[in-house]
Amino acid sequence: MIRLLLADDQALVRGALAALLDLETDLEVVAQVGRGDEVVEAARASGAEVCLLDIEMPGLNGIDAAAAVRRELPGVRSLVVTTFGRPGYVRRAIEAGASGFVVKDTPARQLADAVRRVHAGLRVIDPDLAAESLIDGPSPLTDRERELLTHALDGSPVATIAARVHLSEGTVRNHLSAAIGKTGATTRSEAARIAQDRGWL
Amino acid sequence: MIRLLLADDQALVRGALAALLDLETDLEVVAQVGRGDEVVEAARASGAEVCLLDIEMPGLNGIDAAAAVRRELPGVRSLVVTTFGRPGYVRRAIEAGASGFVVKDTPARQLADAVRRVHAGLRVIDPDLAAESLIDGPSPLTDRERELLTHALDGSPVATIAARVHLSEGTVRNHLSAAIGKTGATTRSEAARIAQDRGWL
DNA sequence: AGCTGGCCGTGACACCTGTCATCCGGACCG
DNA sequence: CGGTCCGGATGACAGGTGTCACGGCCAGCT
């Protein structure tokens, strides 16, 4: 019997996944959480062996949660699930210590198999995503550029961003200009979207 | 036995919801589709009585799909499910002929009850969302403003938007300026986000 | 000790954007 | 019929934005 922890911020999806996986006779959902920063504690308390982690979560995202699990509970394996593409996430998830990476677009029947493989110590990675992540390569952005791009995601004016990060307005423009060049965009909003799509944020 | 159709673009979520609802002895999932424009045909072929529709779908969104079901299959009821807030969606979903509106944040156990109520001819609406939709009121945007805002969602420059809709650059700026005023924003990106959050797009 | 590269800042310049005033045509309504 | 509203357009102006050149600081590497 494989003991599972589910982490997803949407209660309905979480409950539905639990129903799906509980149908398997060799799987048992022993914990469910809706926030990334509750994963480690719940996994420890419930004695989970595999954690199914969504990326988009309040508190702590799924990748950082996988890293925390890796650090605090070395024997527990993580399987990261996310909504779509975002090839860059694959690389970061694996580097964070996740054993698998699955998109929510895969057929439901394959999920249980992915869990079993991860539990057995194998790596499970969506082949299409793996290929894309190799094509795009790692992020060329510096830490500052990444930080500023995340603040530019919602289209905030430069002045606002500069105030939030306590930098000069000109400096922010320079960093963002560099990021625009590296992403091949022409606007900071466009650069931010491209970077996010590639998982560089 | 209530015959159900599931529509969600993410196969994993779709399958999981099917597993969840099939656990109920009085419910039966008779059709699953991943696109909005396949809903009516699948509902007709399978003899579904209630359609569970996600809003974000390729082809046709859940609200328009509900309207199509209403028009083509008057006896079939629709229950719209979406990821979060977006109060304006509630109003539009109901106007489109949906019998219910549920967010993916609700506990999994309540979903089956919502389906039963909708099947019985009752209206099911998340109370928090209903309250918010009353506070925000209907969209004050004109059709043009709405159209231009959707093109402004990704942060495209005015020139690009003008070319896409075959309008003068100045006209686009004027409409967007009006939209910015109505949303209380200071940038077209911000206005676009606000309008989307309120379901005005 | 030099070189490199990231980070921070300034200044200048061309261009883009948001706002306002003003105009015209059509549709709708009292 | 006149009033009102929306769509479309123009022109002008202040302020925001992207780019570039330049300088300075610091860490790491040769």
Side-chain angles (χ1 to χ4, degrees):
Chain A
M1 196 64 118
I2 302 176
R3 302 170 64 81
L4 269 176
L5 175 143
L6 291 190
D8 192 310
D9 59 334
Q10 296 174 332
L12 202 52
V13 177
R14 204 166 65 230
L17 285 173
L20 176 73
L21 293 167
D22 267 336
L23 288 180
E24 308 290 325
T25 53
D26 56 338
L27 303 183
E28 182 185 9
V29 176
V30 296
Q32 294 187 28
V33 300
R35 302 176 50 85
D37 47 13
E38 295 173 354
V39 169
V40 169
E41 189 186 333
R44 200 195 316 265
S46 62
E49 300 164 271
V50 177
C51 297
L52 204 66
L53 306 173
D54 189 19
I55 287 196
E56 289 89 8
M57 276 190 294
L60 197 69
N61 68 53
I63 291 177
D64 291 342
V69 167
R70 184 72 171 177
R71 192 174 56 245
E72 306 280 335
L73 307 166
V76 180
R77 306 187 195 279
S78 297
L79 178 56
V80 174
V81 186
T82 192
T83 53
F84 195 56
R86 311 290 169 83
Y89 281 160
V90 179
R91 178 183 301 266
R92 286 173 54 203
I94 299 305
E95 285 172 356
S99 298
F101 196 96
V102 177
V103 291
K104 284 188 178 169
D105 218 19
T106 53
R109 346 191 115 195
Q110 293 183 10
L111 183 62
D113 276 337
V115 170
R116 290 189 195 98
R117 289 207 186 120
V118 166
H119 180 255
L122 300 174
R123 290 245 154 130
V124 177
I125 300 177
D126 186 292
D128 293 341
L129 248 53
E132 281 188 68
S133 88
L134 288 179
I135 292 171
D136 282 348
S139 169
L141 302 174
T142 67
D143 287 347
R144 266 302 186 203
E145 288 159 3
R146 202 169 32 71
E147 182 190 3
L148 294 181
L149 273 185
T150 61
H151 285 101
L153 262 179
D154 56 3
S156 306
V158 171
T160 307
I161 301 177
R164 275 209 288 247
V165 295
H166 306 294
L167 281 180
S168 152
E169 207 167 312
T171 304
V172 170
R173 280 202 302 224
N174 283 340
H175 282 301
L176 286 178
S177 183
I180 289 170
K182 288 178 181 175
T183 51
T186 54
T187 314
R188 63 176 182 287
S189 325
E190 192 189 352
R193 271 189 312 105
I194 292 175
Q196 196 184 39
D197 284 350
R198 297 192 184 162
W200 290 350
L201 299 188
Chain B
M1 197 64 120
I2 302 176
R3 300 170 66 81
L4 267 176
L5 175 144
L6 290 189
D8 193 310
D9 59 333
Q10 295 173 333
L12 202 53
V13 176
R14 203 165 66 228
L17 285 174
L20 176 73
L21 293 167
D22 267 336
L23 288 181
E24 307 290 325
T25 52
D26 56 340
L27 304 183
E28 182 184 9
V29 176
V30 294
Q32 294 187 30
V33 299
R35 301 178 50 86
D37 47 13
E38 295 172 355
V39 170
V40 169
E41 189 186 333
R44 199 195 317 265
S46 62
E49 298 164 275
V50 177
C51 297
L52 204 66
L53 306 173
D54 190 19
I55 287 196
E56 289 89 8
M57 275 189 296
L60 197 70
N61 68 53
I63 290 178
D64 292 341
V69 168
R70 184 71 169 176
R71 192 175 55 244
E72 307 279 336
L73 308 165
V76 180
R77 305 186 194 278
S78 297
L79 178 56
V80 174
V81 186
T82 191
T83 53
F84 194 54
R86 311 289 168 87
Y89 281 160
V90 179
R91 177 183 302 265
R92 286 173 53 203
I94 299 304
E95 286 172 356
S99 299
F101 196 97
V102 177
V103 292
K104 284 189 179 169
D105 218 20
T106 53
R109 347 191 115 194
Q110 294 182 10
L111 184 62
D113 276 337
V115 170
R116 290 190 195 99
R117 289 206 187 120
V118 165
H119 180 256
L122 300 174
R123 290 245 154 129
V124 177
I125 300 176
D126 186 293
D128 293 342
L129 248 53
E132 281 188 69
S133 86
L134 287 179
I135 292 171
D136 283 347
S139 170
L141 302 175
T142 67
D143 286 347
R144 267 301 187 203
E145 287 161 6
R146 202 168 33 70
E147 182 190 3
L148 294 181
L149 273 184
T150 62
H151 288 289
L153 262 180
D154 56 2
S156 306
V158 171
T160 307
I161 302 177
R164 274 208 289 246
V165 295
H166 305 294
L167 280 179
S168 153
E169 207 169 311
T171 304
V172 170
R173 281 207 305 246
N174 284 339
H175 282 301
L176 286 178
S177 183
I180 290 171
K182 289 177 181 176
T183 52
T186 54
T187 314
R188 64 177 181 288
S189 326
E190 193 188 351
R193 271 190 311 104
I194 292 175
Q196 197 183 40
D197 284 350
R198 296 191 184 164
W200 291 350
L201 300 188

